[in-house]
Amino acid sequence: MSETETVRVDLGDRGYDIVVGDGVLARAGELLAPVLSQDRVVVVTDRNVAKLHLETLQRALADTGIRHEDIVLEAGEQTKSFGALEQLLDDLLGRGIERATTLVAFGGGVIGDLAGLAAAIALRGIDIVQIPTTLLAHVDSSVGGKTAIDTPHGKNLVGAFHQPRLVLADTGVLDTLPPRELRAGYAEVVKYGLIDDPDFFAWLEGHGAAVIEGDTTARRRAIVTSCKAKAAIVAGDERESGDRALLNLGHTFAHALETETGFGDELLHGEAVAIGMCLAFDLSVELGLCPPADADRVRRHFAMVDLAHGLDAAQGRIWNAERLIAHMDRDKKARDGRKTFILVRGLGQAFISREVENDDLKALLEEAIAA
Ligand code: NAD
Ligand code: GLY
């Protein structure tokens, strides 16, 4: 059996393990059994994941005597909507789920966020287990209990905190992920280095290509390091009253870009985050906070792994700085009308700022749009 590593999210009696390794999916039944309140689960997944990996999960559950039903949804960000949430809840209630039934979110961040929210509110809250299948979900969305849907007013504006009982991250499942999705997820891996771990960023400069290309050991190390970083932040600030906001490095920009492009294929979430992190570094340089060489290093690294990181990633789109700023004004992190940005004093030195002036922001965006 190949090696697995376990990371603990230390939240007292709501704490849980993240089990990372190649082949974890085939052991899902045995790993899940100890956290189930009854031998019944409902698996929520999307069409792409169902086609490729649902059978492995079904077999693992059946082998352990866990009764399972499956709900297969359309793939894509559009599924994080009020309509899809209503349908999912209707389906779950129609199946006669009980308080002791566990939902299994089996997919990327879209399925994790939607099923997580359904679990948070169905029967006033039932258990959820996350089995992430994208790199982004392995290192970010499956951990920490944030769940949400998008609305026409913006991304993730309706949601709840609902921690999973267990996270099973099978690195082998990532082999079927389209390369563009893999690279987009890699942006969230890099994020942890940029926030407070320059040694990890330096390691990624040397091993990022191996992570992308599927080297099992490099992949596991990248995922475990990312999960440890996230687990530590979540354990210290579960509901984002302080340092958890650091995890939003690049996200104030990213959410505005995604709102503008309509949460579609034009710009994937991770791509928007990569662009947003570059803009956060540029803004920090413009404000005299960060050495320009550090911003260059981030761009060089994204270019090296072939990850889109400039506004031209959305080909043919004509951006408008004022529209982007208007989207940022509706960001849920805004406080007393001030936008929240994560800025940097250098690689691995991120901090929270509500001091950014609209004039500086507009100048930065206009420069990036013109580039
Ligand atoms: P996704 O869930 O849409 O998955 C991307 C695509 O890959 C989909 O088409 C999916 O069907 C396909 N796919 C998934 N696993 C596959 C596999 N193993 N093989 C082949 N295809 C596979 O997107 P994502 O990037 O995983 O997640 C993005 C979402 O996550 C966004 O909505 C974002 O807001 C959310 N998010 C949430 C958090 C959080 O803390 N809750 C953190 C970061 C991002
Ligand atoms: N992805 C940001 C957070 O979990 O807080």
Side-chain angles (χ1 to χ4, degrees), residues 148-164:
I149 52 169
D150 305 326
T151 84
H153 294 282
K155 200 169 158 59
N156 294 335
L157 290 185
V158 174
F161 287 94
H162 190 55
Q163 298 293 342

Side-chain angles (χ1 to χ4, degrees), residues 283 325 339 356-366:
L283 183 57
I325 292 172
K339 291 182 272 301
V356 175
E357 298 299 337
N358 269 359
D359 287 350
D360 292 325
L361 192 56
K362 190 162 175 247
L364 174 96
L365 288 170
E366 282 175 348

